Amino acid sequence: MKMSISSRSALAGEEKQPMRLSQLLHKILVYVLLIGGAIIFLLPFLWMLTTSLKPAKEVFTFPPQFLPTTFEWHNYLDGWLALPFTTFLINTSIITIANVVGNLISCTLPAYAFARLQARGRNFMFVLMLATMMIPAEVTLVPTFLLFSKIGFVNTFWPLILPAWLGYPFSIFLLRQFFMGIPRELDDAARIEGATDLQILTRIILPLSKPALATVAIVAFVGNWNNLLAPLIYLRSNDKLTLALGLKLFDGQYITFFNQLMAVSILTILPIVVTFFFTQKYFIRGVTLTGADR
């Protein structure tokens, strides 16, 4: 009897060793693939970073040289002062902040109505709103431009700000799905205490929806900070241009200083990298928990 128990334990130990070995190989393979993919995605950014520190004569050397022989840190200051990028930064900040605030306000209210309020035709209106997501932006580009030009908003920030205060279907859908996962018993308890719908939204729903709100804010921030098409259409004078249009001005007719262009590009994307670095926890939670039971 003792021999049989010991033989069984020996066989179990032999079976565990191949399993542990296969799990270890699986983990190694996963990490190798992740590290390789990270290097592939980071390579263009690293090339842009090293190019921003190169002298102008080393940008197009052949064979390509990854690291510069001398680090030209003054490329950042020279590139920033070559054009009024401080003005461009202020303009971009005004437009981006106004869009983020507008998105949060204009998308939260209809999302709460679709998720928590009972009204006739609510589902039809929600499907109709989702249908607008299938319309390409290029289809409404010309009518929107004609509308803003008729009311004299061309070469102003209003065409870049007002649409955000009218709501975006994707953000409304994202918030609505998140709101639906919050227990309705909280609403009933608040109504028993005499709370209104606005009080329920501001005191119960919004505090519990920080991940979804952060996701909407991050998407709006990145989309407007990098926006090129709309400012290119509506803005005319140099004192109203954004950072994206300012980078386009680096393309000279005869020569382009790519080292300075890359330096200013690094400074331009730096706020996006910092913002995502500090808010990625809320962004990932907002995406993964949307529509899930919490």
Side-chain angles (χ1 to χ4, degrees), residues 14-288:
E14 291 179 357
E15 291 178 356
K16 289 181 179 179
Q17 289 181 356
M19 290 179 62
R20 292 176 180 174
L21 181 60
S22 62
Q23 292 176 355
L24 179 62
L25 293 176
H26 177 72
K27 289 184 178 180
I28 292 175
L29 179 62
V30 170
Y31 278 107
V32 169
L33 293 176
L34 290 176
I35 293 173
I39 292 175
I40 293 174
F41 281 99
L42 284 175
L43 189 59
F45 177 78
L46 295 176
W47 184 266
M48 182 171 64
L49 179 62
T50 57
T51 303
S52 67
L53 298 172
K54 292 179 180 179
K57 62 181 180 181
E58 294 183 4
V59 174
F60 293 106
T61 56
F62 187 83
Q65 185 176 343
F66 189 76
L67 294 176
T69 55
T70 57
F71 290 89
E72 303 285 343
W73 295 99
H74 62 84
N75 287 337
Y76 287 85
L77 182 60
D78 294 343
W80 190 264
L81 297 179
L83 294 168
F85 275 100
T86 303
T87 302
F88 300 160
L89 176 62
I90 295 173
N91 297 338
T92 305
S93 300
I94 293 173
I95 295 171
T96 302
I97 293 174
N99 273 269
V100 171
V101 176
N103 266 276
L104 291 176
I105 295 176
S106 64
C107 296
T108 299
L109 297 176
Y112 175 77
F114 284 132
R116 317 296 284 193
L117 301 183
Q118 299 295 332
R120 182 177 300 176
R122 184 190 64 173
N123 293 332
F124 173 77
M125 295 298 295
F126 181 68
V127 173
L128 186 63
M129 184 207 69
L130 292 180
T132 61
M133 297 176 61
M134 304 178 187
I135 302 175
E138 292 78 9
V139 174
T140 60
L141 194 61
V142 174
T144 305
F145 175 79
L146 294 176
L147 174 64
F148 283 123
S149 63
K150 289 292 184 181
I151 58 179
F153 280 177
V154 175
N155 199 29
T156 66
F157 294 158
W158 291 114
L160 309 177
I161 295 176
L162 286 179
W165 289 83
L166 301 177
Y168 283 115
F170 173 77
S171 299
I172 296 173
F173 171 75
L174 182 70
L175 291 175
R176 182 251 189 187
Q177 296 302 111
F178 198 95
F179 292 167
M180 290 184 65
I182 300 175
R184 290 184 175 271
E185 289 78 5
L186 298 175
D187 299 18
D188 298 335
R191 286 194 173 92
I192 293 174
E193 296 295 330
T196 62
D197 288 319
L198 184 60
Q199 290 174 333
I200 294 173
L201 173 63
T202 56
R203 298 183 182 182
I204 298 177
I205 302 299
L206 294 184
L208 295 175
S209 305
K210 292 180 180 179
L213 295 174
T215 303
V216 172
I218 294 171
V219 172
F221 176 81
V222 174
N224 288 277
W225 191 271
N226 291 329
N227 192 7
L228 174 64
L229 181 60
L232 183 63
I233 293 174
Y234 292 106
L235 301 181
R236 299 287 187 268
S237 57
N238 290 335
D239 60 334
K240 290 184 173 62
L241 299 184
T242 59
L243 288 173
L245 292 179
L247 292 175
K248 189 68 177 65
L249 295 179
F250 260 102
D251 293 337
Q253 183 176 2
Y254 300 104
I255 186 172
T256 301
F257 295 99
F258 284 96
N259 52 349
Q260 297 182 10
L261 174 61
M262 296 302 168
V264 180
S265 299
I266 292 289
L267 297 176
T268 301
I269 67 174
L270 192 60
I272 298 177
V273 175
V274 174
T275 301
F276 184 77
F277 179 79
F278 286 104
T279 59
Q280 60 177 328
K281 177 179 68 174
Y282 297 101
F283 179 79
I284 294 173
R285 286 186 60 193
V287 174
T288 56

